[in-house]
Amino acid sequence: MLKVDKLIIGFDNALRTLLVPANTIRPVPGRNLPENELSEAEKRESVALMRINHVGEVCAQALYQGQALTARNVTVQQALSQAAREETEHLAWTERRIAELGGRKSFLNPLWYGGSFTLGLVAGVLGDKWNLGFLAETERQVEAHLADHLRRLPYQDVRSRAIVSQMKVDEACHATMAISHGGGELPLPVRLAMKLGSKTMTRTAYWV
Ligand SMILES: [Fe+2]
Ligand SMILES: [Fe+2]
């Protein structure tokens, strides 16, 4: 595909992610579970955590877009596309859950998207080994952060919990996919910098 075509598709994807409700092929996890009553404080906590998860999925969209634009190997491109489709579902699930809880998404989504897209491009330019290594490390960190959310989400908010649980399973599969396609182990300082970056993102998205 021509570079300019890819750029137009990338721009279109950015607008879709930020402005249009995402679609899901798989049914939303927990859709048949009851909407248990939550106190105001519990609802606030659930909304804040699901907003963080939604921001994470906005970042995942951008990251995969950036990487798909630069990935060299066709098999890698296909594996990235499959994972990206699941990330779109995660985006849809978290978006719907925030609406069900009467919450709002992050005001800073365009900023998160832009930053992650740039990171994806840089990782892609470094070649498939580092591109996939960066992806695997991102997915591992997301999986750990989802495990933390399962500890923090109100116990009776079973619908949010079902979504986060399925996302956690999917993110682990994405990490395995990236490693099996040749992802390299990132140097420790890079892993630590990524942790610091994601901490900044999650702390900010908790509020805005
Ligand atoms: Fe995801
Ligand atoms: Fe993922």
Side-chain angles (χ1 to χ4, degrees), residues 80-185:
L80 287 174
S81 307
Q82 172 55 34
R85 273 193 287 279
E86 292 181 4
E87 302 296 5
T88 307
E89 296 188 320
H90 296 173
L91 189 73
W93 301 344
T94 48
E95 197 168 74
R96 287 181 197 188
R97 187 61 192 143
I98 291 172
E100 280 176 1
L101 289 162
R104 57 158 183 79
K105 297 184 274 183
S106 172
F107 295 129
L108 301 176
N109 279 339
L111 193 76
W112 306 129
Y113 192 99
S116 302
F117 185 78
T118 311
L119 277 177
L121 278 183
V122 171
V125 166
L126 294 176
D128 286 346
K129 181 184 172 195
W130 298 117
N131 193 4
L132 291 166
F134 179 71
L135 189 71
E137 180 58 24
T138 306
E139 297 285 9
R140 276 195 216 110
Q141 291 190 13
V142 173
E143 194 198 348
H145 135 101
L146 292 175
D148 176 54
H149 277 200
L150 284 174
R151 284 188 287 272
R152 291 167 65 190
L153 274 168
Y155 187 70
Q156 61 274 41
D157 186 0
V158 287
R159 290 170 71 95
S160 297
R161 299 181 72 85
I163 290 173
V164 172
S165 299
Q166 184 58 52
M167 280 165 56
K168 185 171 170 292
V169 170
D170 292 347
E171 312 305 7
C173 290
H174 298 162
T176 309
M177 171 279 288
I179 297 293
S180 68
H181 282 83
E185 182 78 8

Side-chain angles (χ1 to χ4, degrees), residues 12-89:
D12 180 60
N13 275 315
L15 292 180
R16 274 174 206 277
T17 303
L18 296 170
L19 302 174
V20 182
N23 284 318
T24 181
I25 298 165
R26 283 179 292 175
V28 182
R31 71 195 187 289
N32 295 326
L33 294 174
E35 186 68 86
N36 294 330
E37 203 173 320
L38 301 174
S39 70
E40 273 312 304
E42 286 169 338
K43 198 174 257 192
R44 255 200 316 274
E45 183 69 358
S46 280
V47 166
L49 296 180
M50 294 313 277
R51 178 164 53 239
I52 293 174
N53 293 329
H54 180 261
V55 166
E57 296 305 328
V58 167
C59 291
Q61 289 294 310
L63 206 62
Y64 276 98
Q65 279 304 318
Q67 290 180 313
L69 280 180
T70 42
R72 291 155 173 79
N73 180 307
V74 179
T75 323
V76 170
Q77 280 177 1
Q78 283 166 352
L80 287 174
S81 307
Q82 172 55 34
R85 273 193 287 279
E86 292 181 4
E87 302 296 5
T88 307
E89 296 188 320

